Amino acid sequence: ALRRLVRGVLVRRRSKSGASRAFLAPPLLQGLRCARKPNRCRGMSLRRRSSLLFLLRFSATSAEADLELVRGWPERPPGSAAKRLTLIRHAEALHNRDARQMPNYFTDGLGHTAAYWDSPLTPEGEQQARLLAGKLQFRQEVGSPQLVAVSPMTRTLQTASLAFPDIPEPAAGRAPLVRPPFVATSLARERIGNHSCDGRRERVALEGEFPHVDFSEVADGADEMWEHKEVEPDGMNSTACGARAGRLLAWLWRRPEPEIAVVSHWVFLSHLLRPHGFDDAFVQMGNAEMRFVTLQERAAKPSSRSSSDSSSGPKQEL
């Protein structure tokens, strides 16, 4: 059971000699030790212990199939399990605006201050998200999402809520809009660095502000991920963030809905897309931009042995 629990959370690193070995990321290993021998955690605070165990629980999902992302929404053959994904970057948030407008934002390290903790959308960002709703209705006459998987950050929750409004009784001449189910998942969070905009508010505050969202996939209480930075070997090529992106795909694959919207963050989405061969022009996403991809099982490649066997056998003339 423990082997199944930690499957998929192994990280590979190379030693100075060039050898590659697998190991459990330190917070996950510590959480596993707590799960196996609770007495080892007696000196640990309750908050720290619960955070480690939750991190272990949501991190221990592995791909049950070899999955790939392909551009666009190709026609699905009957019986296909492929999923149409709409990837959405959040609209303009407070830190996005100030980083662009304030000359001293980076030089004075303003992005590391508490003023930007879990940044909300700006008024311009709210307008971007409302316009996104119209684009989604036009684009998704086929493939309208049956689920919205959203990062549990204020800016993504706001973007998703405005982009997928619930208007059962619209103005005359307009069709009613029914909001699909929302599930917040920490797997879709931004790469965890040192910018305070990526710190999460307490779950109870988010639940009060967004009552239409299912937060059961998010740890109770304060931010359980903030202490576990995803900056190795560097912030734009994070081993831990890339592994988490793979776990999100596995989570989406296990969901029953074939049409899913994912509202997330640019750096995280770049970790999601780049391993599947997407170029920078596709990966670079502005605020409130969308990308349409299909999640499917990777086609099995014939083994070299089988291909050589077939080529060495007797050939028949047609």
Side-chain angles (χ1 to χ4, degrees):
L2 285 170
R3 281 197 296 270
R4 292 189 62 187
L5 184 66
V6 301
R7 189 202 313 167
V9 300
L10 294 176
V11 181
R12 300 198 72 85
R13 282 188 182 171
R14 292 193 177 277
S15 64
K16 293 182 179 180
S17 63
S20 177
R21 68 185 185 91
F23 71 101
L24 276 174
L28 299 178
L29 183 57
Q30 192 174 7
L32 178 59
R33 286 170 177 163
C34 285
R36 295 180 65 182
K37 296 184 178 181
N39 62 323
R40 292 189 178 185
C41 303
R42 286 177 180 170
M44 189 182 299
S45 69
L46 179 62
R47 174 183 167 185
R48 171 72 173 170
R49 189 185 311 177
S50 61
S51 294
L52 284 170
L53 293 176
F54 184 86
L55 183 64
L56 178 64
R57 181 174 73 84
F58 95 78
S59 297
T61 55
S62 63
E64 296 166 355
D66 188 10
L67 303 174
E68 67 175 351
L69 292 173
V70 297
R71 186 180 300 213
W73 288 347
E75 185 174 352
R76 289 180 300 198
S80 170
K83 297 180 182 292
R84 290 171 172 164
L85 304 183
T86 302
L87 306 180
I88 303 172
R89 183 192 176 191
H90 64 81
E92 181 191 73
L94 183 64
H95 66 285
N96 298 131
R97 183 196 66 189
D98 289 357
R100 186 178 67 251
Q101 295 182 356
M102 298 174 64
N104 63 327
Y105 180 86
F106 292 104
T107 56
D108 291 349
L110 299 182
H112 298 166
T113 62
Y116 294 96
W117 185 266
D118 199 359
S119 292
L121 296 184
T122 62
E124 174 64 22
E126 293 178 0
Q127 182 61 19
Q128 291 174 352
R130 292 189 185 97
L131 292 174
L132 192 59
K135 295 177 183 178
L136 284 163
Q137 291 177 54
F138 175 78
R139 178 66 174 83
Q140 294 181 328
E141 292 179 0
V142 177
S144 182
Q146 299 160 338
L147 174 75
V148 176
V150 57
S151 161
M153 308 302 293
T154 298
R155 58 190 181 275
T156 44
L157 291 163
Q158 289 178 313
T159 299
S161 300
L162 292 169
F164 296 94
D166 192 37
I167 310 177
E169 298 181 2
R174 293 181 177 271
L177 296 175
V178 180
R179 174 180 285 151
F182 277 42
V183 175
T185 170
S186 295
L187 290 171
R189 281 183 60 169
E190 180 62 298
R191 176 224 53 225
I192 307 299
N194 296 312
H195 294 279
S196 57
C197 60
D198 298 327
R200 175 177 65 77
R201 289 189 290 158
E202 290 202 5
R203 195 178 93 175
V204 64
L206 298 172
E207 288 173 328
E209 190 171 339
F210 304 96
H212 55 282
V213 179
D214 176 1
F215 285 95
S216 60
E217 296 281 336
V218 179
D220 196 9
D223 190 346
E224 82 286 3
M225 294 175 62
W226 180 248
E227 297 178 5
H228 311 298
K229 304 304 183 188
E230 299 174 323
V231 293
E232 296 292 340
D234 63 72
M236 294 304 296
N237 183 29
S238 163
T239 302
C241 186
R244 179 159 58 86
R247 294 194 295 273
L248 176 65
L249 293 183
W251 182 84
L252 293 170
W253 185 252
R254 292 193 298 272
R255 295 288 311 188
E257 302 86 358
E259 325 279 349
I260 302 176
V262 179
V263 185
S264 187
H265 311 261
W266 169 59
V267 176
F268 175 78
L269 289 173
S270 71
H271 282 78
L272 188 80
L273 292 168
R274 283 201 172 99
H276 299 273
F278 293 99
D279 56 33
D280 286 344
F282 190 83
V283 171
Q284 294 285 346
M285 297 177 68
N287 290 123
E289 283 194 357
M290 297 179 285
R291 296 291 185 267
F292 302 94
V293 297
T294 297
L295 177 63
Q296 63 186 28
E297 287 188 280
R298 194 183 306 274
K301 295 181 180 179
S303 65
S304 56
R305 179 177 178 180
S306 61
S307 59
S308 62
D309 289 346
S310 61
S311 61
S312 62
K315 298 181 179 178
Q316 298 180 352
E317 293 187 9
L318 299 178

